[in-house]
Structures are given as C-alpha cells and as structure tokens.
Amino acid sequence: MESDSYDEIDLKILHALHLDARVPFSRVASVIGVSDQTVARRYARLCSAGSLRIWGLADPSRLGQVEWLVRIRCTPDSAGDVASALARRTDTSWISRTSGGTELVCRTYAPTPADELLLKTLPRSARILDVSAHCLLHTFFGRTSSVITKLNALSPDQAAQLRLPTAPPVDPAKPVTLDEVDHRILALLRGDGRAPINQLAAGAGVSHSTVQRRISELRESGVLYFDIDTERARLGLQIRTLLWLAVAPAHLDSTGAALAEHPEVAFAAAITGARNLYASVATPSIPAVYTYLTTTISTLPAVQSFESSLVLHTIKGPAGIRSPGSDR
C-alpha cells in the first residue's frame, strides 16, 4: 500500500467500484477471491491515504440543465484570481489550467443556454483575452465510465458478475423532476457515495426502504451517477491532455464512438463550435502524448484538424475544489 503504484488487488477493487460504486464488499471479495476483511481494509486505507474518494453526483443534463465547456484565455497574472472565482461557484466543475497557465477550461451548466451568468462573476481586475463556450451535445465516454475500466484488472467474467444491470433507455428530451427527499439523498451521497443506508435514511428523514428505492430510481433515470476519484499517477498516467478536434459532421458519431474505445481516453463528447469533438486523454508521459497523436488519432480518417493542450493543474473536480498540487 506504500508503493507508488496500486497493486493487483487494489486495481481489482477500484475496477469493481467503477462498475458499481455501492457494491457490497462481500460481493467484491467473493468475485476476486479474497476475504471481506481484505476488501474493507484496502478500501479504508485507500480512502485514508487520499487515494480514493467516491461521490454521488447528479447529471445536470437529466435535470433540464444545459452543459457547457468554457475556455477562458487571460493574462498570466489574472489566471489565479479567475480560477478561484470560478471554483467558488456551485455550477462549475473540472476547472483546469492549461497552455502555460494562460488558459482555463471548465465545465458549467445553466437552466438556459447563457454563459453570461458565469462571466458576470469574474474579477473586474482580470484581464480576459478571449472566451469561447461550447455546448456539450453528447457524451461518448465518461461520467459513469473511467480509464480504470480499460485497464482490465478484472476478467470479463468477473466484470460481468459485478456490473450493474443495464438500465432502461431514457429520453434525453424529458428531464427528471426531483422532490425534497431526492435532493436530501443526493446531498448526502455527494458527501459520501458509499454512505450506509441507515445513515442516508436518518439524514433524509425517511425509511430504509424509501432510500433504497429512491437510489435505484435515480440511477435508472440517469440522474445519479458516481464519481470515483483515484490518483492517476499511481496508475502510471501522470499526463492529462485536452483535445479539440474538427470532424466532418457526417462522421461525428462514428468518430466519437471510435475515440471512446481508445485506452487513453478518459472523456469524449460532441460539442458545438468549429472544433466539434472534445476529449480528455491520460498518458504516462509527454512522449506518449506524441505517440498517441501520431499513431492513434492519425488513424481516424474524419478528423480534419485538432488542437491539444496539456493540463498543468486541476483546480476543481466534479465534487469540489482540489487541494494544492492535486491533479487527478
């Protein structure tokens, strides 16, 4: 556990949690062939070391929100203040500093297609050079998926035993309306995605069966998903690169689907704008970025051009502001 890398059992536990964040430890233990106590102990040690955190989050798009990727170019002396102002907002996530520290990229959402709400909160002293907003149209990979599942720590048979049943398809045009109980449960899961049912029931003021039913309904409706935060460096994936690709519209869907299959891709989505496909890529090194661009991206025939930028630091993730020096 003190080594710089996750060992085989760690990876199997992490893979299992990415398949079902609330899976009982006893079930994981049975599938991977260790004791319940081993799984519980490993999980506790990973959490206490800051190497694993699980949050239950709500998908804004299922609640009628419009999601945006916003790029803000500013002078180097303003970037820190702008990043801090963005991080304090409750409607932002994945705030990253790129391009030598002069560009910030963040994900935000709003009830209507308007990024003006975000811009109004930026420091008046900030020197903003350029802002571009790209509506997130369709996610090919990410949200409920992770690069950890692409490492194949579990065999296909083991993964099948731990994977949640396929939820019925949802209509993206029909947003879900939550009541107060839903909001209370989601708030508790945001603090701890594996909070015990009795703790959730007490906090939400409802019965155990109600909590279990509501969690199942929120998951099946696509509202509730779980973000599992791990140290990419311990996976050997120290470098994160953002890609903005221009793809022929007729081939956008097929190219996005192909991109999602790449082991390096942690997130991929279709967006508005001249660059209509976005991806976050995780690699072991800078040379590996070059190799990926020249030997893998180059095999996608519909890619007309692309832009890449290295992430220097992630200021905020899906569940809140990150500690200094953290970039996962």
Side-chain angles (χ1 to χ4, degrees):
M1 290 295 300
E2 280 72 35
S3 86
D4 291 335
S5 301
Y6 296 116
D7 66 19
E8 182 181 357
I9 295 177
D10 293 335
L11 289 174
K12 288 182 177 181
I13 293 171
L14 292 174
H15 192 168
L17 292 170
H18 275 81
L19 295 174
D20 180 1
R22 292 184 62 83
V23 62
F25 289 151
S26 59
R27 188 174 174 193
V28 177
S30 174
V31 170
I32 69 176
V34 298
S35 68
D36 299 10
Q37 293 81 3
T38 295
V39 176
R41 184 176 67 251
R42 292 289 185 118
Y43 175 81
R45 292 177 66 182
L46 287 169
C47 290
S48 63
S51 297
L52 172 63
R53 290 174 290 184
I54 301 177
W55 296 286
L57 304 174
D59 182 345
S61 66
R62 295 297 297 128
L63 301 177
Q65 305 283 336
V66 179
E67 288 192 273
W68 297 86
L69 285 171
V70 182
R71 305 178 71 178
I72 301 173
R73 283 199 311 116
C74 49
T75 56
D77 59 319
S78 295
D81 290 340
V82 174
S84 296
L86 291 173
R88 287 193 293 269
R89 293 181 59 94
T90 59
D91 58 354
T92 60
S93 65
W94 288 121
I95 302 172
S96 299
R97 197 166 178 175
T98 70
S99 303
T102 60
E103 181 178 73
L104 298 169
V105 179
C106 80
R107 197 181 306 177
T108 186
Y109 57 90
T112 56
D115 65 318
E116 183 182 2
L117 298 174
L118 182 151
L119 298 178
K120 284 182 178 178
T121 64
L122 297 182
R124 293 184 179 181
S125 59
R127 286 179 283 175
I128 306 298
L129 304 178
D130 181 62
V131 175
S132 61
H134 309 267
C135 184
L136 198 153
L137 301 175
H138 176 76
T139 299
F140 293 103
F141 188 84
R143 191 86 76 191
T144 59
S145 307
S146 165
V147 289
I148 287 182
T149 60
K150 295 180 176 181
L151 298 178
N152 298 318
L154 298 173
S155 69
D157 180 63
Q158 289 174 322
Q161 293 179 62
L162 292 165
R163 187 178 289 111
L164 280 171
T166 302
V170 298
D171 184 350
K174 294 181 179 179
V176 177
T177 301
L178 305 181
D179 64 17
E180 186 57 36
V181 172
D182 294 323
H183 284 294
R184 289 199 294 267
I185 292 173
L186 286 170
L188 292 166
L189 289 172
R190 188 178 183 87
D192 178 6
R194 284 190 62 89
I197 291 294
N198 61 342
Q199 181 181 324
L200 295 173
V206 294
S207 67
H208 290 201
S209 60
T210 296
V211 169
Q212 291 174 321
R213 176 170 53 81
R214 291 297 182 99
I215 289 177
S216 294
E217 290 172 350
L218 288 168
R219 283 180 129 178
E220 289 179 1
S221 66
V223 171
L224 174 62
Y225 72 98
F226 291 89
D227 180 75
I228 302 177
D229 193 10
T230 52
E231 291 183 271
R232 285 186 294 106
R234 292 185 67 178
L235 293 170
L237 302 173
Q238 289 89 342
I239 307 300
R240 189 160 73 94
T241 306
L242 305 185
L243 298 182
W244 309 82
L245 304 95
V247 177
H251 302 286
L252 180 59
D253 190 69
S254 60
T255 304
L259 196 69
E261 295 297 320
H262 295 172
E264 299 86 351
V265 171
F267 183 83
I271 57 175
T272 57
R275 308 279 185 183
N276 53 0
L277 188 58
Y278 165 84
S280 174
V281 174
T283 56
S285 63
I286 298 295
V289 178
Y290 176 78
T291 299
Y292 175 68
L293 296 178
T294 57
T295 65
T296 305
I297 289 295
S298 62
T299 65
L300 300 175
V303 174
Q304 300 166 336
S305 64
F306 68 87
E307 178 185 353
S308 61
S309 55
L310 294 181
V311 173
L312 306 179
H313 176 52
T314 300
I315 297 95
K316 183 180 181 181
I321 298 173
R322 298 199 185 278
S323 59
S326 171
D327 183 19
R328 300 181 181 175

